[in-house]
Amino acid sequence: MNAKRPGFFQASLHLLGSLRLGTAILAAVILALGVATVVESSRGSEQSLVRVYQSSWFAMLLAMLGVNMLAAVAVRWPLQRKHFGFVLTHASIAVILIGAWTTHLFGLEGQLSIAEGQIRDSFMATQEMLAVAYGDQSVTADLEPPIGGLDQVDHPQTPELVFEPLDVRATIERYVPDSIVEKRMTDDGTIAQEAVQIAFSRAGSEESAWFFEGQSAHLGPASVTYRLANGVQMIGFLAGEHRNDWIAAGVVSVEFNGVRTDIPLADCLRQPVPIGGSGYRIKGINVWTHASVGSDGQLGNVSSLPTNPAVELEITERDGAENEIVDRRLVFSEYPEFDSNPGARHLDDLKATFSCPVVPKSETDVEIIRGPGGGIFARFAWEGTPEEVVRLDAGQPVETPWPGRSLTVLRHFTHAKLNTEIVPQEAIRPDRVAAMLVRVRKGEIDEQVWVRRGVSTPVQLGDETAYLVYAGKQHPLGFSVRLDQFRIDYYPGKRQPRSFESRLTFTDQATGLSERRLVSMNHPTTNGGLTFFQSSYEMDRGPTRSVLSVSRDPGMMIVFLGYVGTFLGMLIVLVSRMRDRRHGLSTASEAALAKGTEETTCEIGNTLSRFPKSGTKTTVRRRRKVVEAAMEAKK
Amino acid sequence: MTPRKSPKTWLFITVLMGLPAAVRATPVMPKSTNVDAIRALTVQHDGRYMPVDTLARDLVQSVTGTQRFENLDPVLVLLSWTFDADAWLDDPIIRINSAELRREIRLPESVEVFTYRQLTAHRYLHALVDEAGRVQEGQKPDPLQKKVSEIHRKLLLLHGCFQGRKIPLIPDANDPLEAWQPISVNRPTNSESIERVQLAWQALGAAFRADDGVAFSEQSEALATALDKLPAAFRPDATLIATELRYNSLRPFHSAWKVLLGGTVLSLLSLYLRRRSVDLVSGIVLLSGFVLLTYGLILRWTIAGRIPASNMFESLLFLSWGAGAFAIVTMFLLRHRIVPATAAALSCIALLLADCLPMNQFISPIPPVLADTVWMSIHVPIIMISYSVLALAVLFAHLQLACLAIAPHKFKMHATIESLHYWYIHVGTILLFAGIVTGSIWAASSWGRYWGWDPKEVWSLVALLGYLTILHSRTGMHHGVRWSTVASIVVGVCVVALVLDSLGQVSAYKMLGVAAACITLAFMVLAHGILATALKSILAFWSIIMTYVGVNYVLGTGLHSYGFGSGAVVRHVLESAACDLAFVFLCCGIYWARKRNMTGHKRPPDTGYWAVGDGLSVAG
């Protein structure tokens, strides 16, 4: 390079415009972009916007890139013709960046949601505001300096809102980027109300819910209910664990010749018991808690839960012929009229019934049961698996028939009360809801309320109720717009829109002149410096509303100019390089040649032979001359 | 929750009443029936009008996963589902490939294909479907729920077929946009013409079940005439339906890749043989493949009524077309045989991928933002052509690696490949820039903003910047330590620190990821030489693949093996990435091993095209 030491200015220009710095910045931008997409996929698009794309450091990086481009152009001053492509490309990239900056500074973006027949003169800008409303009057304050980012702000510098008619003053005490409405269960209710919190979790996902007594709901794949059981029912529920207790509670009643004998089930299972006044004896042979006919046609016990209890009884002859069986019958406690053995020989006058604690059929897959003693149990009654009842100790997970899922009682309240409160969130969710703590004063009254974004919050001020609204700011259009018609075209036979369009009428408020326009997807329209784009529509509530994006972007044309320049510049560079190639030598090859190795010369020779068809004879000759000259120079 | 009887009770009752168990029947597959007349009938499906043939292909593919289920004519299968539903209840139809998924749904793991009855009677699946159905709108379903919904959708489709509700043949008399109705035999009607259709349909069913070829043909004629006489608010052009039938039976893309494969093999052969005659033959074969592909594209364009550039399948067609056109043109213009050979190979590979990967090949309705705009026909082809040029570049990069490993002394060959590689990258980068710019202008015209930091936009920018880095890493800039080095290091360190901050909670994975990214980028910026250039080109191309498929799938979902969106595509991509990595390591390993033993051969200093400056060294 230059033997002369360059001055400080020139040296720093060379530094700023150096290729080395340029590629380093390129690499840094690539890294930032790649990471930002990962941030977006894991933490939501707003996070990536705030943390990277719209952050000041990323803007600095892009600015450095722009400076690098401009400096790279500047060091080539005065410009030579051969540098035209290079200069055009790099200057144009700087122009693109300048255009982007212009958009950032002066651009305006917002949304306009409008129903058919409605007239609007403002649109919802991205800026935010707080309003106090009473009746149909309201005062609003812009949130200046703009808050609404991802950071919590205490005592933002927002002017005090004064609502004259009510003499209400409001100040913002705190801003939090994300909040949830937490439904918190407390155990301090004034009336007795049973509730349990149940977790039904699968590896990696924890699902839990509160259940009031008698309430049923879905939790994961199962329906769950919570109920209280009395002492007798509890014996039934625990029949699996304490079968003897259940048997002790069972009674077989026999009626013969108008005499009714109640025999405890336990007694008649042990030995034949005489039936009062008949001389017959009765003995229980088999007991089923949940009787069912299996595929082999035999009665079997499918679970230990007494949902369909049955007893098989044997009636033997009176004294003297002890072993002669007179009758054998099956008695279901739930179906007393059921004739188990129709047509067979009977003692027709003898009627036997069976009563015992029975568990009603479950209407849900899982029943959480609280016994009179305070113990909590879960009954799994999922079709296809045997029913069972297991004890739940607080905090101890229990295996369930659902593969991989366990059930846990987290908490149990006897005086449960549901409170709702707004709680700031530490970890900010992608679809966050910002909230503000607003201090409202009126005379003696001084209250603090949490206001969530987009939710109108009532404040009781003595006898009056005012409303606090925190939402996007309405920005005046400068003219009025009316939606004459909104139309959706569907694909035939499908509820999938093919296109949608809005017919708008713009009216200039000063002159009263109006103009009709059509806006559809991909076909925007511009009025008064604002461009209207068909964005989407809302159908869920009320009349269909057309949603239009409204924007003003003075930087767009600069960016497009930059696009064209860069593209042309790149083409020119390509063409000039191709021409260099065709002429056989590039400056760098020359430099390499000047350094001089034998192979390099061969290399240049190869270059000559590479595109023999494409050049005319004269160019080939010229190339050869160049090579010869280069060889000479080398020697 | 409605109260229900316990299954035990049901069993009890069933056994007591002595109900017969279900009897398994094998489905009737008539052999003498000619379904061509039915095939050509017009139906309305998926937002457009099509022959029954396409409908049958779509339905059979949606349910069974393949168009030719058990290698049967899809129309025949659809008719059999409609007319002989009972026989199909116990026939294995629905395939659940992933063993992991079968385990999670508690299905027998040894079976892959399940019957309708098996799945509808599977209690746990019911519970999961219920659970998936309760996922609130706006909430992301987890991978299991997504797969369960998919199985549920298949069952619903199959159920609709069994009920005869999936062949909407009856046009709406009044509204051209209203849904067409299937022929329902049981619904009484006061219209004589509809009654005639119903009678013909019933008779058709009977003939089908009886495998009576003559009666079936007669009844199909009768049905066709009866349908024609129905009042209709709109009927599509008969030639369009005929075109679509031709498109379906020809399968132009399937045949085209086979022809192109032949052409590619021939042109590779001619690379070796260097005979004009082989050149000529390979040129003719390639040309006929290309003509077939072009014809297929024209047919598809005609049928859809819009440029076929709306989804991945269609964009792959364009990629193949671009490469094919380039092969044909260079074959006549350039004396280099390697250029058309590689272009033909790329064209063939792209078409093969489009045809064989499990992608939706049907012509589907497109969202409003794509419809009714010229930008789609400008943006998509430019992007796809730039991808095909860059894909050729990466082919050359691989070729270079192979050459370096196999013949490390053939400097002349390396230089030739290097030169072609350079020009491809240069041209491809310009086209990529043009593609991004047209995309940006399109976005500006439909959303009002020219850049929105959408992941797809960002990754296309990453790819462009990657290629720009390659083009800018010249030999001259690596010598000496200057102030610019210091400045670069400062910038780099600052950005890494800031980027780490933006990632939130620090974890080992994140640190590892950022470290890997930094090393890769340092390599991109610092490494130079023939080998490094090839490696850089491969890296940059993978960022294009990330833009093309990765953004939709990799960034969107978790890591369950069945969790990836249309799973198979991503799995294939990951597999090919692994293969590529293995190839790269193998070549580099061989090259370095041989290089160490290499004495007496002196590699020329890096001159080539990467050293091309603009006459002014601004390295420091």
Side-chain angles (χ1 to χ4, degrees):
Chain A
M1 261 231 272
N2 286 346
K4 193 180 81 184
R5 275 185 73 84
F8 176 74
F9 175 74
Q10 232 169 2
S12 45
L13 203 61
H14 268 90
L15 170 65
L16 286 177
S18 81
L19 178 60
R20 204 178 296 205
L21 185 61
T23 41
I25 295 172
L26 268 190
V29 172
I30 294 178
L31 180 69
L33 293 179
V35 167
T37 54
V38 174
V39 170
E40 174 161 12
S41 82
S42 63
R43 301 172 71 189
S45 58
E46 194 183 13
Q47 289 275 352
S48 66
L49 278 177
V50 171
R51 305 261 179 240
V52 184
Y53 302 132
Q54 290 174 357
S55 68
S56 45
W57 65 266
F58 192 68
M60 288 260 284
L61 199 61
L62 292 182
M64 275 166 73
L65 189 65
V67 168
N68 181 261
M69 299 285 126
L70 289 177
V73 170
V75 293
R76 280 164 181 77
W77 207 265
L79 297 176
Q80 294 166 24
R81 222 180 120 221
K82 63 173 180 177
H83 288 155
F84 182 63
F86 176 92
V87 167
L88 182 58
T89 311
H90 291 78
S92 299
I93 291 175
V95 169
I96 294 176
L97 293 171
I98 290 168
W101 193 36
T102 315
T103 301
H104 178 73
L105 287 183
F106 305 110
L108 184 62
E109 229 181 314
Q111 273 204 330
L112 177 64
S113 165
I114 184 169
E116 248 176 56
Q118 218 177 5
I119 300 174
R120 300 287 299 272
D121 55 8
S122 62
F123 66 98
M124 183 94 82
T126 40
Q127 213 192 355
E128 318 238 284
M129 58 116 204
L130 179 70
V132 179
Y134 174 74
D136 49 4
Q137 291 172 295
S138 69
V139 284
T140 58
D142 295 352
L143 299 180
E144 279 298 345
I147 58 172
L150 291 172
D151 297 310
Q152 180 176 325
V153 186
D154 284 320
H155 306 291
Q157 303 294 313
T158 323
E160 189 181 45
L161 272 129
V162 184
F163 190 55
E164 289 291 352
L166 279 178
D167 186 30
V168 172
R169 286 154 195 284
T171 44
I172 300 166
E173 293 289 308
R174 185 187 297 165
Y175 162 83
V176 292
D178 194 7
S179 66
I180 51 166
V181 177
E182 199 169 74
K183 291 195 168 143
R184 225 152 52 86
M185 198 69 89
T186 50
D187 204 6
D188 54 4
T190 44
I191 47 165
Q193 172 78 283
E194 283 276 339
V196 281
Q197 191 187 18
I198 302 292
F200 192 46
S201 41
R202 187 169 69 191
S205 81
E206 175 88 9
E207 288 175 79
S208 73
W210 276 96
F211 291 89
F212 282 113
E213 184 212 332
Q215 186 193 29
S216 63
H218 278 281
L219 187 57
S223 52
V224 181
T225 189
Y226 177 47
R227 55 187 288 178
L228 301 183
N230 59 30
V232 177
Q233 281 171 333
M234 215 52 235
I235 291 174
F237 278 119
L238 296 179
E241 218 176 318
H242 306 288
R243 189 176 165 88
N244 288 338
D245 291 355
W246 179 71
I247 286 179
V251 174
V252 176
S253 307
V254 185
E255 215 178 304
F256 188 72
N257 288 344
V259 182
R260 182 186 159 106
T261 320
D262 286 344
I263 307 158
L265 178 63
D267 288 359
C268 79
L269 279 176
R270 215 172 298 131
Q271 63 197 54
V273 179
I275 302 171
S278 67
Y280 291 111
R281 283 162 187 272
I282 191 161
K283 185 173 189 313
I285 305 170
N286 262 324
V287 184
W288 294 272
T289 45
H290 187 170
S292 173
V293 177
S295 52
D296 53 354
Q298 296 296 313
L299 201 62
N301 210 21
V302 261
S303 81
S304 56
L305 216 62
T307 41
N308 186 21
V311 61
E312 191 178 15
L313 298 170
E314 199 176 77
I315 296 146
T316 50
E317 193 61 271
R318 62 190 84 191
D319 309 333
E322 271 183 12
N323 294 325
E324 192 185 330
I325 297 165
V326 177
D327 195 0
R328 179 176 277 182
R329 61 177 73 179
L330 199 57
V331 182
F332 290 90
S333 80
E334 294 297 276
Y335 308 98
E337 301 305 322
F338 182 78
D339 187 353
S340 63
N341 212 357
R345 195 175 66 95
H346 274 311
L347 282 172
D348 285 336
D349 331 347
L350 188 139
K351 188 166 170 15
T353 52
F354 172 39
S355 71
C356 63
V358 175
V359 171
K361 290 214 168 53
S362 175
E363 293 188 359
T364 54
D365 300 327
V366 179
E367 274 185 0
I368 307 295
I369 303 147
R370 197 174 87 87
I376 298 178
F377 302 87
R379 171 191 184 186
F380 299 116
W382 187 37
E383 282 185 56
T385 56
E387 278 197 32
E388 55 176 334
V389 171
V390 293
R391 178 181 290 274
L392 294 171
D393 294 318
Q396 293 296 316
V398 168
E399 281 298 304
T400 68
W402 284 266
R405 283 187 186 265
S406 61
L407 191 93
T408 322
V409 169
L410 298 176
R411 277 179 293 175
H412 169 235
F413 289 166
T414 50
H415 289 75
K417 196 176 117 196
L418 198 61
N419 310 289
T420 53
E421 51 186 72
I422 291 162
V423 186
Q425 284 287 94
E426 271 302 312
I428 299 161
R429 300 165 300 165
D431 48 349
R432 66 192 181 92
V433 183
M436 292 191 300
L437 184 62
V438 183
R439 183 174 178 193
V440 190
R441 274 168 298 178
K442 185 198 178 195
E444 295 288 291
I445 306 161
D446 187 345
E447 279 198 61
Q448 294 202 344
V449 245
W450 277 103
V451 184
R452 297 185 93 207
R453 195 182 186 287
V455 183
S456 168
T457 312
V459 196
Q460 200 63 42
L461 299 169
D463 304 334
E464 320 275 3
T465 309
Y467 287 88
L468 292 173
V469 182
Y470 162 36
K473 187 193 167 191
Q474 292 292 323
H475 195 280
L477 285 167
F479 48 88
S480 73
V481 57
R482 177 179 191 275
L483 179 64
D484 300 327
Q485 195 194 16
F486 177 68
R487 220 183 69 191
I488 307 175
D489 262 348
Y490 291 99
Y491 281 101
K494 231 182 164 188
R495 298 311 278 175
Q496 179 177 353
R498 191 214 297 263
S499 68
F500 33 94
E501 57 184 35
S502 304
R503 286 179 189 283
L504 302 173
T505 305
F506 295 112
T507 310
D508 191 345
Q509 282 158 337
T511 61
L513 288 174
S514 60
E515 197 177 347
R516 293 169 156 242
R517 298 278 184 78
L518 178 71
V519 181
S520 67
M521 207 86 199
N522 286 319
H523 300 283
T525 187
T526 305
N527 193 55
L530 290 167
T531 312
F532 291 77
F533 301 83
Q534 183 72 58
S535 143
S536 59
Y537 56 90
E538 292 170 341
M539 277 184 117
D540 20 335
R541 45 176 200 277
T544 308
R545 303 174 75 85
S546 171
V547 180
L548 302 161
S549 303
V550 184
S551 84
R552 184 179 64 207
D553 189 352
M556 191 189 281
M557 276 307 133
I558 304 177
V559 170
F560 287 178
L561 191 74
Y563 284 165
V564 175
T566 312
F567 181 66
L568 287 179
M570 286 168 99
L571 274 186
I572 293 169
V573 169
L574 176 75
V575 169
S576 66
R577 291 225 174 141
M578 280 178 153
R579 199 185 291 144
D580 283 352
R581 197 42 49 195
R582 194 167 290 183
H583 287 309
L585 277 174
S586 70
T587 40
S589 312
E590 248 176 298
L593 196 67
K595 253 189 253 164
T597 55
E598 201 55 41
E599 289 89 341
T600 319
T601 327
C602 294
E603 179 82 5
I604 295 161
N606 293 340
T607 319
L608 281 185
S609 62
R610 199 164 296 138
F611 297 118
K613 259 187 162 176
S614 49
T616 58
K617 264 184 187 164
T618 46
T619 46
V620 173
R621 212 175 295 140
R622 200 164 66 220
R623 267 186 242 162
R624 196 150 293 153
K625 261 186 198 162
V626 174
V627 172
E628 278 160 14
M631 300 279 228
E632 286 277 335
K634 199 201 103 195
K635 277 167 198 161
Chain B
M1 187 83 205
T2 52
R4 53 164 198 255
K5 281 198 165 110
S6 128
K8 310 297 160 347
T9 327
W10 280 115
L11 194 65
F12 196 65
I13 293 167
T14 319
V15 171
L16 284 180
M17 289 167 69
L19 281 180
V23 183
R24 194 187 187 288
T26 41
V28 182
M29 236 351 118
K31 292 182 187 63
S32 56
T33 318
N34 182 0
V35 291
D36 283 347
I38 302 293
R39 193 192 301 283
L41 294 177
T42 310
V43 288
Q44 182 203 53
H45 173 66
D46 202 15
R48 61 187 193 93
Y49 302 93
M50 53 174 72
V52 170
D53 189 50
T54 313
L55 168 78
R57 281 164 196 266
D58 191 357
L59 288 177
V60 172
Q61 166 135 43
S62 302
V63 173
T64 67
T66 163
Q67 280 190 19
R68 294 193 69 83
F69 175 63
E70 288 175 353
N71 215 16
L72 291 165
D73 182 347
V75 178
L76 213 56
V77 173
L78 179 62
L79 286 178
S80 182
W81 283 351
T82 308
F83 290 134
D84 200 15
D86 289 346
W88 284 93
L89 292 177
D90 291 301
D91 209 69
I93 299 175
I94 295 175
R95 181 176 289 277
I96 300 172
N97 270 328
S98 154
E100 193 185 345
L101 181 61
R102 292 198 296 272
R103 192 160 50 243
E104 286 238 9
I105 318 183
R106 290 223 272 161
L107 285 166
E109 277 179 56
S110 51
V111 189
E112 275 200 0
V113 193
F114 296 89
T115 69
Y116 176 78
R117 212 196 288 274
Q118 251 177 325
L119 289 179
T120 47
H122 190 56
R123 280 274 303 135
Y124 190 55
L125 188 61
H126 275 253
L128 287 174
V129 167
D130 281 352
E131 190 186 354
R134 282 197 305 274
V135 172
Q136 275 150 21
E137 208 176 308
Q139 221 175 347
K140 236 183 187 176
D142 69 18
L144 178 65
Q145 287 167 341
K146 254 191 229 167
K147 286 286 161 184
V148 164
S149 310
E150 204 174 288
I151 296 172
H152 185 223
R153 201 178 51 83
K154 287 181 177 182
L155 284 172
L156 283 180
L157 266 182
L158 195 55
H159 182 71
C161 292
F162 287 165
Q163 301 256 304
R165 281 190 285 106
K166 285 287 160 193
I167 315 180
L169 281 164
I170 300 181
D172 194 90
N174 308 314
D175 187 347
L177 291 183
E178 197 51 52
W180 287 23
Q181 294 302 319
I183 303 170
S184 58
V185 181
N186 301 324
R187 191 185 301 164
T189 170
N190 46 16
S191 151
E192 209 172 287
S193 51
I194 288 189
E195 205 178 335
R196 217 172 297 132
V197 170
Q198 288 179 347
L199 283 176
W201 187 249
Q202 227 160 359
L204 192 76
F208 185 86
R209 279 186 294 268
D211 193 10
D212 184 346
V214 183
F216 188 85
S217 301
E218 263 172 31
Q219 291 308 329
S220 354
E221 292 281 312
L223 180 66
T225 24
L227 283 171
D228 272 343
K229 283 189 186 137
L230 288 180
F234 177 82
R235 263 183 210 283
D237 193 356
T239 52
L240 264 186
I241 300 293
T243 311
E244 184 153 2
L245 274 175
R246 193 158 67 245
Y247 172 82
N248 284 350
S249 64
L250 190 63
R251 298 180 72 196
F253 306 122
H254 183 75
S255 334
W257 75 253
K258 288 184 171 164
V259 178
L260 284 174
L261 184 65
T264 308
V265 170
L266 278 173
S267 57
L268 288 176
L269 209 65
S270 79
L271 203 66
Y272 181 70
L273 293 174
R274 295 166 192 261
R275 292 263 176 74
R276 283 316 274 178
S277 56
V278 185
D279 281 354
L280 195 69
V281 174
S282 75
I284 289 168
V285 174
L286 278 183
L287 193 63
S288 53
F290 180 71
V291 167
L292 195 58
L293 170 60
T294 314
Y295 180 59
L297 272 174
I298 292 171
L299 283 184
R300 199 176 166 96
W301 197 323
T302 320
I303 296 162
R306 57 169 167 80
I307 182 171
S310 71
N311 57 17
M312 192 183 277
F313 175 73
E314 293 180 345
S315 62
L316 270 177
L317 297 183
F318 264 98
L319 196 132
S320 171
W321 191 85
F326 185 71
I328 304 289
V329 170
T330 49
M331 181 164 280
F332 292 109
L333 289 187
L334 287 190
R335 217 195 51 170
H336 272 288
R337 288 191 176 88
I338 191 161
V339 174
T342 45
L346 176 69
S347 170
C348 174
I349 292 171
L351 206 54
L352 181 85
L353 288 178
D355 193 52
C356 296
L357 284 184
M359 276 186 284
N360 180 14
Q361 299 194 2
F362 294 99
I363 299 170
S364 320
I366 50 174
V369 70
L370 298 184
D372 197 21
T373 171
V374 289
W375 285 108
M376 185 166 87
S377 357
I378 299 172
H379 169 67
V380 178
I382 291 183
I383 278 279
M384 290 326 290
I385 289 169
S386 89
Y387 283 3
S388 53
V389 173
L390 291 170
L392 283 170
V394 85
L395 263 182
F396 276 96
H398 283 92
L399 206 62
Q400 183 76 285
L401 281 182
C403 269
L404 286 172
I406 296 165
H409 314 305
K410 292 201 171 172
F411 300 135
K412 191 181 159 191
M413 185 149 81
H414 301 165
T416 313
I417 297 174
E418 176 92 338
S419 116
L420 288 167
H421 188 194
Y422 171 81
W423 291 118
Y424 278 127
I425 288 190
H426 203 149
V427 173
T429 308
I430 295 176
L431 284 169
L432 187 59
F433 177 77
I436 294 174
V437 161
T438 49
S440 166
I441 298 174
W442 182 7
S445 80
S446 53
W447 296 313
R449 48 162 190 71
Y450 51 85
W451 196 262
W453 298 116
D454 169 82
K456 200 114 186 163
E457 290 173 346
V458 171
W459 270 97
S460 63
L461 186 62
V462 166
L464 177 71
L465 296 181
Y467 277 108
L468 287 178
T469 316
I470 297 180
L471 286 176
H472 282 85
S473 61
R474 290 187 212 125
T475 43
M477 65 179 266
H478 302 287
H479 304 299
V481 177
R482 304 194 188 155
W483 278 111
S484 57
T485 320
V486 179
S488 307
I489 292 171
V490 170
V491 169
V493 169
C494 288
V495 169
V496 169
L498 289 161
V499 150
L500 278 178
D501 177 56
S502 74
L503 270 172
Q505 269 184 330
V506 179
S507 73
Y509 280 119
K510 283 179 191 167
M511 298 298 282
L512 213 66
V514 171
C518 289
I519 291 168
T520 314
L521 285 169
F523 178 79
M524 289 290 282
V525 172
L526 297 177
H528 57 97
I530 285 187
L531 181 70
T533 308
L535 293 178
K536 284 196 262 183
S537 168
I538 293 172
L539 276 174
F541 193 73
W542 275 103
S543 72
I544 283 193
I545 294 182
M546 180 72 185
T547 318
Y548 193 41
V549 288
V551 168
N552 295 356
Y553 303 120
V554 178
L555 289 176
T557 46
L559 288 169
H560 274 270
S561 62
Y562 55 77
F564 288 124
S566 48
V569 173
V570 171
R571 200 154 43 243
H572 288 305
V573 169
L574 287 178
E575 279 163 10
S576 40
C579 289
D580 197 29
L581 202 63
F583 176 80
V584 166
F585 275 123
L586 187 73
C587 290
C588 291
I590 296 176
Y591 174 66
W592 280 320
R594 295 183 71 167
K595 195 177 152 194
R596 237 187 321 169
N597 302 331
M598 220 159 72
T599 45
H601 293 279
K602 200 173 157 210
R603 166 163 289 284
D606 282 311
T607 53
Y609 301 81
W610 310 100
V612 174
D614 45 65
L616 182 70
S617 166
V618 275

